[in-house]
């Protein structure tokens, strides 16, 4: 928006003023919002008009209307100010009781659903101004090595698209800080009264129709790898993109679905489901909270790691 020579005469407060006027659509209301006089707003707008070589706002009986150029600048200015506010908030001593930061966490839904309730309850008590965004993570299709299966999560962390990723892996690249939250295995969920609950054998299992959680629709997962090692396979009748949806479908069908044990303990009863142990050994997963090592200099991020660990401890071990 400004070239290098312009930056020497730029005033960040003018961008704040621009934001207020374009959002309020009125000089007087913008002045009230910024706690300055309408005259100061008008003088600031004059400086902006000279700097940007555009009228920016046209007066009307009801206020002001943004020009096409002003509308074009509104999104970049909002982004610039958001970044500046983020830098300033992280530069100040972090006080969770007073902070108004937003943190973005990435996790598979079968993981975020385990820690989120306890995390929100603790935030309400000790950090009421902090907001959380959750984005769903699922592994790359066809990748079995954890470092490659979760590479998109690692890329997003380094790009600061999210603050912390929680991934089911203990194999974390050395450039990241990681903390083990808990260990998890999978159980088989089905509707109450299902025949498999009475006879949970491997032979019965492979004869059933199965529901598989897969973001991209790939029906082949770690359960199938375990079956193939025994020369067996199963019918994957349906794939759905997340575990909560899988529970809803399983509650209204005869399909079986493998789900994380802690997740099942919390949510399976809500959908009228029962669970049994898998009829063959399945891998256990270490749930690791991960962030770039350089990012851990942020006191707020370090605090959030502790909050995540506490939230998982509140839930207790699977089955408790």
């Amino acid at each position: 928006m400004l070239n290098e020579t312009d930056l020497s005469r730029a005033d960040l407060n003018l961008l704040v003023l621009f934001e207020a006027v374009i959002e309020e659509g009125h000089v007087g209301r913008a002045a009230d919002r910024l706690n300055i006089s309408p005259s100061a707003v008008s003088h600031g707008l004059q400086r902006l008009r000279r700097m940007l070589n555009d009228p920016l706002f046209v007066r009307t009986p009801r206020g002001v209307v943004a020009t096409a150029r002003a509308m074009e600048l509104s999104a970049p200015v909002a982004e610039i100010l958001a970044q500046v506010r983020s830098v300033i908030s992280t530069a100040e001593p972090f006080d969770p009781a007073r902070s108004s930061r937003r943190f973005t966490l990435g996790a598979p839904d079968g993981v975020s659903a385990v820690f989120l309730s306890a995390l929100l309850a603790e935030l309400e008590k000790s950090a009421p101004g902090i907001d959380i965004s959750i984005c769903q993570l699922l592994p790359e299709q066809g990748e079995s090595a954890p470092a490659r299966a979760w590479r998109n999560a690692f890329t997003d962390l380094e790009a600061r698209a999210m603050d912390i990723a929680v991934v089911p892996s203990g194999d974390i690249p050395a450039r990241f800080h990681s903390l083990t939250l808990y260990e998890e295995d999978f159980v088989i969920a089905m509707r109450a009264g299902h025949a498999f609950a009475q006879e949970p054998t491997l032979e019965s299992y492979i004869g059933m129709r199965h529901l598989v959680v897969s973001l991209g629709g790939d029906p082949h997962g770690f359960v199938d790898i375990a079956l193939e090692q025994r020369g067996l396979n199963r019918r994957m009748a349906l794939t759905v993109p997340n575990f909560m949806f899988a529970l809803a479908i399983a509650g209204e069908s005869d399909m079986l679905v493998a789900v994380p044990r802690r997740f099942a303990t919390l949510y399976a009863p809500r959908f009228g489901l029962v669970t049994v142990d898998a009829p063959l050994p399945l891998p256990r997963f270490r749930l690791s909270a991960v962030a770039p090592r350089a990012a851990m200099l942020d006191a707020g991020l370090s605090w959030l790691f502790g909050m995540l660990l506490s939230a998982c401890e509140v839930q207790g071990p699977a089955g408790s």
Side-chain angles (χ1 to χ4, degrees):
M1 190 170 80
L2 300 172
N3 60 40
E4 275 190 40
T5 57
D6 288 330
L7 287 178
S8 63
R9 62 187 177 87
D11 182 349
L12 181 62
N13 288 321
L14 295 180
L15 299 186
V16 176
L17 184 147
F18 174 88
E19 178 187 57
V21 175
I22 204 164
E23 290 181 358
E24 297 293 341
H26 194 280
V27 169
R29 288 197 296 269
D32 291 341
R33 171 170 159 177
L34 298 173
N35 198 28
I36 59 178
S37 69
S39 176
V41 173
S42 295
H43 285 301
L45 287 178
Q46 289 176 13
R47 292 175 60 194
L48 266 176
R49 286 168 178 142
R50 289 193 298 269
M51 188 166 63
L52 299 176
N53 194 30
D54 188 87
L56 298 178
F57 299 97
V58 178
R59 290 185 179 275
T60 73
R62 295 187 177 183
V64 293
V65 175
T67 66
R69 177 61 172 156
M71 293 302 297
E72 178 185 327
L73 292 173
S74 62
V77 167
E79 183 178 351
I80 289 168
L81 292 178
Q83 292 175 350
V84 171
R85 286 165 179 143
S86 176
V87 168
I88 292 173
S89 69
T90 56
E92 295 174 347
F94 180 74
D95 180 358
R98 300 177 59 188
S99 177
S100 58
R101 287 178 64 179
R102 174 178 293 276
F103 292 98
T104 298
L105 306 177
D109 78 301
V111 177
S112 58
V114 169
F115 66 70
L116 189 57
S117 178
L119 176 62
L120 292 178
E122 186 54 39
L123 290 179
E124 187 174 353
K125 290 189 296 183
S126 61
I130 285 179
D131 297 321
I132 299 293
S133 294
I134 298 289
C135 57
Q136 184 179 357
L137 301 181
L138 278 175
E140 288 291 295
Q141 292 185 27
E143 295 286 6
S144 56
R148 294 196 302 272
W150 300 102
R151 64 176 179 267
N152 284 344
F154 299 141
T155 298
D156 285 347
L157 286 170
E158 291 180 311
R160 299 297 195 268
M162 60 184 164
D163 297 296
I164 296 176
V166 182
V167 296
S169 172
D171 183 11
I172 306 300
R175 65 187 185 277
F176 293 96
H177 170 80
S178 67
L179 173 70
T180 299
L181 298 179
Y182 61 95
E183 290 195 355
E184 182 69 288
D185 64 347
F186 276 64
V187 294
I188 310 303
M190 71 220 75
R191 63 167 179 78
H194 197 292
F196 182 72
Q198 308 303 317
E199 188 182 1
T201 64
L202 182 56
E203 180 180 6
S204 176
Y205 181 72
I206 61 175
M208 299 288 178
R209 295 190 307 148
H210 295 265
L211 170 60
V212 180
V213 176
S214 170
L215 182 61
D218 181 3
H220 191 272
F222 68 90
V223 174
D224 303 288
I225 294 173
L227 287 171
E228 288 166 359
Q229 291 171 349
R230 296 171 175 246
L232 301 172
N233 58 68
R234 59 178 179 160
R235 178 187 172 191
M236 282 73 81
L238 176 67
T239 70
V240 296
N242 60 68
F243 284 107
M244 201 68 78
F245 189 19
L247 293 188
I249 296 297
E252 298 180 352
S253 72
D254 284 330
M255 287 182 278
L256 305 180
V257 59
V259 294
R261 186 182 295 271
R262 285 198 186 205
F263 173 76
T265 299
L266 289 170
Y267 296 102
R270 301 187 186 188
F271 294 91
L273 301 177
V274 297
T275 63
V276 298
D277 289 337
L280 75 165
L282 295 177
R284 290 184 63 85
F285 296 90
R286 178 183 300 175
L287 275 300
S288 300
V290 183
R293 289 192 178 277
M296 293 306 296
L297 296 173
D298 177 352
L301 199 60
S302 180
W303 167 84
L304 187 57
F305 264 80
M307 294 294 287
L308 278 172
L309 183 59
S310 296
C312 292
E313 288 174 345
V314 166
Q315 294 296 352
S320 66

